[in-house]
Amino acid sequence: MATISLFRSQAEGDFTEEELQMFREVEPLITQRYRQIRLSKEAMSLRYRFDDYFSEVTMGAALLDHKGKILKANRTFNEYAQYIYENGHIAESFVTQDTVDISSRYVWGQKLLNYFGAKVISKPERVRIECLLYQFKLYAQAIYSQNSVNMNDVECQHLIFLVRQDKVRSEEMLDALKLLTPREMMVLSYLASGLNNTEIAEKMVISPFTVKTHLQNIYQKCQVSGRSELLTKLK
C-alpha cells in the first residue's frame, strides 16, 4: 500500500532493539490510518461520482449513510421500489417508527429501506421480495465500517444493489401485463396473494361487482379462461 523508509548515517550507527520494537508497534497504526484515509476518499468519490457510475445501469443502486438514509440512488432503484410498493403486498404502514426522514427525491427507495430496516445492511440475504412475475433481492457492500465512538458518515457508507429477476419466462404473459391499468394490476396483485373477490373489494374499497369487472378485463388481456389458468401462469 505504501512504504515509509527510515535511515541513519554510518556515524549514527544501527537502530537499537528498543527503537525496532517501537517501529513494530507503530507500523499497524500507520497502516490502519492509511487504510481509513484511502477508503474514506473512495467513499467520498463514490458519493460525488455516483451518477457517473450508476445512472445508466439496469440494476437498482443506492448509497446509504450509517443511519440508512439514501445519499444517492439511481432511477432504477426508485422504480423497482415503487413497483414493490404497488405489487408486493407490503402493509400500508410502509414507513415504520424510528426511521429516517424520506426525501421527496428518493421517496420510494427510502420507504423500501425503512420498511426492511437494518436487515438491508446487516443481513440483506434474508430479504426476498415476491411481486407477481418478478422477485427482488438486495445486496449490500460496506465501503468502510469500524467500531468507533467517533464514527462519521464517510467512514460508514453502504452501497446497496436491488436486483430484479423474472419468475416467469412467458414473454406473452409479460407483454399482457403491460396492458393492464394500475387498478387492474392492484386487483391482480391481491388475487395472486390468495384473496377472494370480497376480500379484494374490501382492500380496495370498491364493490365486488367492480372487482369482477376488473377480473374480466384482466382475463381478456391475458388471454386466459379464468382465475385458475391465470394463477397457474403467474406461478
Side-chain angles (χ1 to χ4, degrees):
M1 291 170 54
T3 301
I4 298 176
S5 299
L6 301 174
F7 298 93
R8 275 186 168 176
S9 66
Q10 187 173 3
E12 292 173 312
D14 295 336
F15 290 108
T16 66
E17 183 57 36
E18 290 79 6
E19 289 170 330
L20 293 175
Q21 179 61 31
M22 180 192 69
F23 296 151
R24 284 191 287 268
E25 293 175 356
V26 169
E27 184 275 330
L29 299 178
I30 296 175
T31 301
Q32 181 183 29
R33 185 55 185 156
Y34 182 88
R35 184 180 292 112
Q36 290 175 359
I37 294 172
R38 182 175 62 85
L39 293 175
S40 295
K41 287 182 177 179
E42 287 181 359
M44 293 299 292
S45 175
L46 180 58
R47 181 171 181 178
Y48 292 115
R49 301 199 62 186
F50 184 90
D51 294 335
D52 295 336
Y53 298 149
F54 300 111
S55 62
E56 301 300 326
V57 299
T58 56
M59 74 173 72
L63 183 65
L64 279 57
D65 66 12
H66 65 288
K67 296 179 181 179
K69 181 178 180 179
I70 296 179
L71 302 173
K72 287 280 189 177
N74 65 358
R75 183 175 61 182
T76 305
F77 191 91
N78 220 35
E79 289 177 347
Y80 283 175
Q82 183 176 2
Y83 183 87
I84 292 169
Y85 177 73
E86 294 174 347
N87 302 284
H89 316 299
I90 293 178
E92 288 301 318
S93 55
F94 202 57
V95 183
T96 57
Q97 270 189 325
D98 301 322
T99 53
V100 300
D101 295 334
I102 297 177
S103 164
S104 58
R105 184 177 180 186
Y106 307 121
V107 58
W108 300 109
Q110 192 65 68
K111 281 184 176 183
L112 182 71
L113 297 178
N114 285 358
Y115 181 80
F116 288 108
K119 283 194 297 186
V120 169
I121 292 174
S122 61
K123 299 176 181 177
E125 67 279 358
R126 294 189 180 181
V127 179
R128 293 292 184 272
I129 313 159
E130 302 288 336
C131 295
L132 293 179
L133 298 184
Y134 303 107
Q135 62 180 357
F136 293 85
K137 296 182 180 180
L138 281 163
Y139 298 91
Q141 174 65 50
I143 298 174
Y144 189 63
S145 180
Q146 64 176 2
N147 295 321
S148 169
V149 295
N150 297 319
M151 187 181 298
N152 60 43
D153 293 358
V154 172
E155 292 171 332
C156 194
Q157 290 180 4
H158 300 268
L159 186 60
I160 306 296
F161 294 104
L162 182 59
V163 180
R164 187 186 75 179
Q165 297 176 325
D166 291 350
K167 291 168 59 181
V168 176
R169 301 302 177 188
S170 170
E171 294 297 328
E172 294 79 6
M173 182 60 71
L174 290 172
D175 291 338
L177 289 184
K178 295 176 183 178
L179 301 176
L180 301 185
T181 66
R183 297 291 282 179
E184 289 168 350
M185 285 294 293
M186 189 176 297
V187 170
L188 180 59
S189 178
Y190 285 129
L191 181 70
S193 68
L195 300 186
N196 59 37
N197 287 16
T198 302
E199 292 168 330
I200 295 173
E202 292 175 354
K203 286 280 190 181
M204 298 181 64
V205 195
I206 57 178
S207 69
F209 177 80
T210 304
V211 173
K212 186 176 181 179
T213 300
H214 282 314
L215 286 173
Q216 292 299 327
N217 292 334
I218 293 170
Y219 298 154
Q220 182 179 4
K221 292 178 181 179
C222 293
Q223 299 181 16
V224 296
S225 59
R227 182 186 303 250
S228 297
E229 184 181 355
L230 179 62
L231 291 178
T232 299
K233 288 191 175 183
L234 289 175
K235 290 180 181 178

